[in-house]
């Protein structure tokens, strides 16, 4: 009998969402937003998984999600939510309305690492992160858990040492949980993790959530190519504050961030135009960002044409619905026995794993195919791999032999 038939309809399996950078702006907005939508306080605006295409795909309900995570900061989630509301990121009054959910999630946050002065080696860190999440899954009676990295961008890996994001990714795979990298950090892209990713039989997705500037590029790039218009230069400026602004002030971190933006243009235009994206840290902006693009292209008879776009928004509010979408889709893929890179989730990323298209329309078509596959594979057939989903557990039940997800972050949230 399938797990979905073994439980009462009134008590669907609970699914864990383990957030790296769990006390940061994005993570706080994810927890508060999920609680607000579940309670009917706000509509599910921006949640692709709440659209009709996914109505019968067997996704875990928002009400079934249980949050935990790792972080190196100690500011409680309710306090962080109050700070975000004061900055206009969260609606006024929302932190108080969902205080119970924020408090419950905060109880499940464990110290990340490596911390300053930390003497643990890579193996000890991975083992500690794994143990934290196994405990989370066991105590909360979860059917499965998905690890999502929403920490600040780290510089690209240089050498054999595993950066923090890769330590967390390694822990996730070792513990048997799906992994999503919402950041441009190395994560599973480290060469040392390739054998583990391949042998794990787990689904994974990433990297770098596509929330604004690159979202526009993935639409506009194909337009120029399809209309036979020659793009000569494509330059941009990205202004932001908060934890990400501070992190991206490091040129190495900014370079990692820009790689996905440039890939979209190269793939959709067929060439790499002149121009770069300049990322500036403007602390006064806080969680709000402004992205400006200047595109110079040739029209008929070589006539020069200029297109300029401005995208202004709250980074956390743009990212949070995508994180919830990815957690639900990846959990369902795991239950349905899909494994390896989830290329169908390229719709959500600047630099997607696997052989995925870069044009947004093509990515959306692939996402629709995934919805149909999940709808037709409610019993676990049709997956990319042979590994089946974990059995669902009743709340409070413990399964010491169950493979569970684990991971952690030593960075602030994005």
């Amino acid at each position: 009998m399938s797990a979905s038939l073994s439980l009462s309809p009134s008590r669907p399996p609970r699914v864990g969402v383990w957030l790296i950078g769990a006390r940061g702006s994005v993570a706080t907005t994810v927890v508060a937003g999920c609680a607000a939508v579940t309670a009917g306080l706000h509509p599910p605006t921006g949640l692709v998984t709440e659209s009709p295409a996914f109505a019968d795909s067997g996704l875990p309900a928002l009400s079934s999600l249980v949050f935990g995570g790792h972080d190196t900061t100690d500011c409680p989630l309710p306090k962080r939510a109050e700070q975000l509301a004061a900055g206009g990121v969260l609606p006024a009054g929302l932190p108080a309305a969902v205080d119970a959910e924020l408090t419950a999630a905060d109880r499940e946050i464990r110290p990340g690492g490596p911390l300053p002065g930390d003497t643990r080696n890579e193996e000890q860190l991975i083992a500690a992160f794994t143990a934290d999440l196994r405990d989370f899954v066991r105590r909360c009676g979860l059917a499965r858990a998905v690890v999502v990295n929403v920490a600040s961008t780290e510089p690209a890996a240089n050498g054999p040492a595993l950066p923090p994001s890769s330590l967390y990714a390694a822990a996730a795979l070792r513990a048997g949980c799906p992994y999503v990298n919402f950041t441009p950090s190395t994560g599973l892209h480290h060469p040392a993790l390739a054998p583990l990713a391949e042998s794990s039989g787990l689904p994974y997705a990433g990297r770098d959530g596509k929330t604004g500037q690159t979202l526009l590029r993935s639409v506009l790039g194909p337009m120029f190519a399809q209309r036979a218009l020659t793009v000569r230069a494509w330059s941009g400026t990205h202004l932001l504050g908060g934890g990400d602004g501070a992190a991206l002030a490091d040129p190495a971190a900014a370079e990692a961030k820009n790689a996905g933006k440039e890939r979209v243009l190269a793939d959709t235009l067929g060439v790499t135009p002149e121009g770069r994206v300049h990322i500036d840290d403007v602390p006064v902006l806080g969680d709000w960002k402004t992205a400006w693009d200047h595109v110079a292209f040739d029209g008929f008879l070589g006539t020069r044409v200029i297109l300029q776009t401005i995208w202004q928004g709250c980074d956390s509010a743009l990212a949070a619905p995508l994180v919830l979408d990815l957690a639900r889709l990846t959990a369902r893929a795991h239950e349905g026995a899909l494994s390896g890179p989830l290329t169908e989730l390229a719709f959500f990323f600047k630099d997607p794993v696997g052989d995925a298209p870069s044009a947004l329309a093509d990515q959306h078509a692939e996402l629709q195919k995934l919805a149909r596959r999940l709808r037709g594979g409610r019993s676990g057939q049709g997956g990319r791999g042979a590994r089946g989903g974990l059995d669902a557990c009743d709340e409070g039940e413990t399964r010491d032999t169950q493979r569970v997800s684990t991971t952690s972050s030593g960075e602030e949230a994005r």
Side-chain angles (χ1 to χ4, degrees):
M1 179 181 293
S2 69
S4 60
L5 295 179
S6 64
L7 298 175
S8 166
S10 63
R11 296 182 60 188
R14 303 206 303 168
V15 172
V17 181
W18 192 257
L19 299 166
I20 308 307
R23 290 194 171 111
S25 298
V26 172
T28 305
T29 307
V30 167
V31 176
C34 183
V37 173
T38 298
L41 301 177
H42 289 270
T45 304
L47 278 168
V48 176
T49 50
E50 286 296 296
S51 64
F54 291 93
D56 299 316
S57 295
L59 303 181
L62 291 173
S63 60
S64 74
L65 301 183
V66 181
F67 296 96
H70 281 100
D71 209 319
T72 58
T73 64
D74 56 8
C75 180
L77 281 181
K79 180 65 174 179
R80 183 68 183 124
E82 291 175 2
Q83 294 171 351
L84 293 177
V89 176
L90 294 178
L94 183 61
V98 298
D99 180 77
E101 289 85 350
L102 290 167
T103 300
D106 193 70
R107 285 197 297 264
E108 301 299 340
I109 298 175
R110 300 295 179 262
L115 298 166
D118 205 325
T119 60
R120 292 174 293 179
N121 60 29
E122 290 180 354
E123 174 58 33
Q124 290 170 327
L125 287 165
I126 294 171
F129 301 154
T130 301
D132 284 338
L133 193 51
R134 281 185 172 152
D135 180 62
F136 169 63
V137 173
R138 183 176 62 252
R139 286 184 299 95
C140 296
L142 305 177
R144 69 194 78 251
V146 176
V147 175
V148 186
N149 183 8
V150 291
S152 293
T153 302
E154 66 188 16
N158 184 16
L162 295 179
S165 65
S166 296
L167 294 174
Y168 317 138
L173 296 187
R174 179 185 296 182
C177 85
Y179 174 79
V180 177
N181 188 1
F182 200 74
T183 81
S185 301
T186 302
L188 282 180
H189 279 66
H190 197 285
L193 298 188
L196 179 60
E198 183 176 354
S199 63
S200 69
L202 294 164
Y204 53 89
R207 64 182 169 171
D208 200 4
K210 184 164 56 188
T211 59
Q213 188 175 41
T214 310
L215 179 66
L216 285 178
R217 289 180 169 211
S218 67
V219 174
L220 295 175
M223 178 195 73
F224 289 115
Q226 291 161 5
R227 288 294 297 269
L229 298 170
T230 302
V231 175
R232 296 299 183 185
W234 199 314
S235 303
T237 297
H238 201 149
L239 310 177
L240 73 165
D244 246 11
L248 294 172
D250 180 344
E255 186 68 24
K257 183 81 171 179
N258 280 335
K261 296 177 182 289
E262 294 173 0
R263 172 184 167 177
V264 169
L265 294 183
D267 288 354
T268 58
L269 297 175
V271 297
T272 301
E274 295 179 3
R276 296 289 303 274
V277 174
H278 300 276
I279 300 177
D280 294 331
D281 177 25
V282 185
V284 72
L285 293 180
D287 203 50
W288 298 81
K289 66 181 182 182
T290 296
W292 171 73
D293 268 5
H294 183 282
V295 187
F297 61 98
D298 288 347
F300 190 55
L301 302 179
T303 304
R304 182 59 55 87
V305 188
I306 300 295
L307 170 68
Q308 297 185 55
T309 67
I310 299 177
W311 179 286
Q312 295 178 303
C314 172
D315 200 39
S316 298
L318 291 167
L322 307 187
V323 172
L324 289 170
D325 283 338
L326 287 163
R328 299 174 78 191
L329 288 164
T330 307
R332 177 68 184 104
H334 184 219
E335 180 188 23
L338 302 186
S339 65
L342 295 174
T343 57
E344 298 93 339
L345 299 185
F347 180 78
F348 298 98
F349 297 106
K350 297 182 181 73
D351 188 19
V353 296
D355 185 16
S358 294
L360 191 69
D362 295 337
Q363 292 174 342
H364 189 257
E366 292 300 310
L367 185 63
Q368 297 289 314
K369 290 180 183 177
L370 177 63
R372 293 192 292 272
R373 183 187 306 174
L374 296 177
R375 208 159 44 237
R378 298 295 292 271
S379 60
Q381 293 96 357
R384 209 174 312 208
R387 185 174 185 273
L390 301 176
D391 290 338
C393 301
D394 285 327
E395 182 178 352
E397 181 181 2
T398 61
R399 292 178 180 263
D400 293 337
T401 60
Q402 176 178 313
R403 298 180 70 201
V404 296
S405 64
T406 298
T407 207
S408 170
S409 168
E411 303 166 275
E412 293 181 0
R414 295 178 72 245

